[in-house]
Amino acid sequence: MERPSRQFLLLHGVEHHKPPGHWLYQLAEHLRGRGERVSYPQLPDADEPSVERWLQTLANELAALDGGERVVVCHSLGCLLWLHHCVRATPAQQVDRVLLVAPPSPGVLWPAVESFRPPAVSPGALAAAARSGVRLVCSDQDPYCPEGARALFANPLELEFDLIPGGGHLSEADGYGPWPSMTAWCLDPAERLCANAI
């Protein structure tokens, strides 16, 4: 049987233990059901994470990807993990495309996640780590990013973005379990991310 030509790496945020109702869990199940190759690792010490340990896990996951299109989807603190990765990424770790979902503001980080405060990262570093680009999807009412991810991340990092009105932190509690437009984007980067019908 021919192996799928795509590989997906899904990176979660703080206090995430793969709840079945979360869109990341649902996305992994849906993609696997289509025969896609998906890695959805449980990052170490999710309640009190270390950026260095998460970076090592990310490096190991990237090393395990082989052949075909390499797609990374990050949620919440996973987005800040990706920014840390970009300032030290090697050419061998380059992926094809990345989606950053609801990155939190540095202003809301509490002591357990203070080490994830975003580094100084340039648009060029992000581009070098993902050959086909990085996209951001965010809400206009995210309690974990009161300044707005568009102003805080998309504009300075020159990212294309999709804005979801009233989407909160785009988590299970905000109505994001199954997320059809997320699945659509994973399969076709020309698709835009949009709100779930409530």
Side-chain angles (χ1 to χ4, degrees):
M1 182 170 138
E2 190 173 326
R3 299 178 80 176
S5 60
R6 283 182 295 245
Q7 297 174 86
F8 296 92
L9 174 58
L10 311 184
L11 300 173
H12 63 73
V14 67
E15 298 177 351
H16 182 97
H17 298 278
K18 297 189 179 183
H22 194 283
W23 64 264
L24 274 170
Y25 186 101
Q26 297 283 327
L27 178 65
E29 291 297 297
H30 187 84
L31 291 173
R32 287 172 181 148
R34 293 178 53 92
E36 304 285 353
R37 294 176 65 195
V38 180
S39 180
Y40 174 31
Q42 177 65 61
L43 296 170
D45 302 319
D47 294 336
E48 294 190 9
S50 155
V51 70
E52 291 301 326
R53 289 194 67 201
W54 278 27
L55 281 166
Q56 184 57 58
T57 301
L58 173 55
N60 294 342
E61 290 289 333
L62 291 172
L65 299 179
D66 58 358
E69 185 184 23
R70 296 151 44 121
V71 182
V72 179
V73 178
C74 311
H75 181 238
S76 193
L77 202 66
C79 299
L80 302 191
L81 171 66
W82 186 259
L83 297 184
H84 279 273
H85 164 74
C86 287
V87 300
R88 60 174 81 183
T90 67
Q93 293 174 320
Q94 187 182 59
V95 299
D96 291 283
R97 54 189 168 108
V98 174
L99 185 65
L100 303 177
V101 182
S105 164
V108 304
L109 299 182
W110 57 96
V113 291
E114 179 62 30
S115 65
F116 286 82
R117 182 171 294 278
V121 59
S122 68
L126 261 70
R131 65 175 61 88
S132 297
V134 178
R135 186 167 197 86
L136 180 134
V137 58
C138 59
S139 161
D140 60 352
Q141 296 178 3
D142 187 343
Y144 294 101
C145 193
E147 305 94 329
R150 177 180 181 177
L152 207 56
F153 296 100
N155 292 344
L157 295 175
E158 301 173 10
L159 303 177
E160 292 187 3
F161 67 94
D162 295 308
L163 184 68
I164 296 184
H169 195 50
L170 300 173
S171 63
E172 181 182 358
D174 302 302
Y176 289 85
W179 190 354
S181 70
M182 173 62 72
T183 303
W185 179 87
C186 285
L187 301 175
D188 179 359
E191 294 286 340
R192 298 282 63 91
L193 278 293
C194 60
N196 273 351
I198 302 298

